[in-house]
Amino acid sequence: MSKYIDVDVFIKSFREALHGLKAQVDPDLTPKAYAYLRGGEAINEDLTKFPAADVAPVRHGEWLKAEDDYCGLNIIQCSICHEEWCFEIGDDVIDLNYHYCPNCGAKMNKEGV
């Protein structure tokens, strides 16, 4: 599974760490210490060049029972987009395996119906 980070937050934190390291070793900047610092700066520069992944935050919702019960159908509603879905009275929403809202894509893993 891929792991996504906020690269701007990482770069800011990394730069602060490099600045602190440079302040500690600046008077005694050996070639090896300079190489480490330059390597860190190069990592920051490279990170800004990578293309951003096309990701969206996961929204977590739950199925809610709607007030309406017409035509012999049970009606459930997404707690995120409020879209309503109908299913037969004998069916249980858990058995239907609706783990995501078909309308907005919210992950249905909160307590609900």
Side-chain angles (χ1 to χ4, degrees):
M1 176 184 238
S2 297
K3 183 175 181 180
Y4 299 97
I5 64 167
D6 186 334
V7 72
D8 295 329
V9 172
F10 176 83
I11 288 173
K12 181 182 176 198
S13 175
F14 199 78
R15 281 189 178 143
E16 288 171 1
L18 280 176
H19 182 72
L21 180 62
K22 187 174 182 182
Q24 288 179 352
V25 299
D26 205 16
D28 304 320
L29 196 57
T30 65
K32 187 175 182 179
Y34 178 78
Y36 282 129
L37 290 172
R38 186 63 199 120
E41 291 167 0
I43 290 171
N44 274 337
E45 291 169 14
D46 288 345
L47 281 173
T48 60
K49 294 176 188 174
F50 275 89
D54 187 14
V55 297
V58 176
R59 295 178 295 166
H60 299 273
E62 63 183 325
W63 291 119
L64 306 171
K65 284 196 178 200
E67 295 296 321
D68 299 314
D69 184 8
Y70 54 89
C71 301
L73 296 175
N74 281 330
I75 306 201
I76 57 172
Q77 183 182 59
C78 172
S79 65
I80 304 296
C81 70
H82 307 290
E83 185 71 25
E84 292 183 346
W85 304 94
C86 303
F87 60 96
E88 292 185 19
I89 293 282
D91 292 335
D92 187 337
V93 70
I94 304 298
D95 296 335
L96 296 174
N97 289 322
Y98 288 168
H99 299 296
Y100 295 89
C101 174
N103 185 55
C104 70
K107 188 173 184 178
M108 295 297 163
N109 60 354
K110 287 188 173 180
E111 295 296 320
V113 173

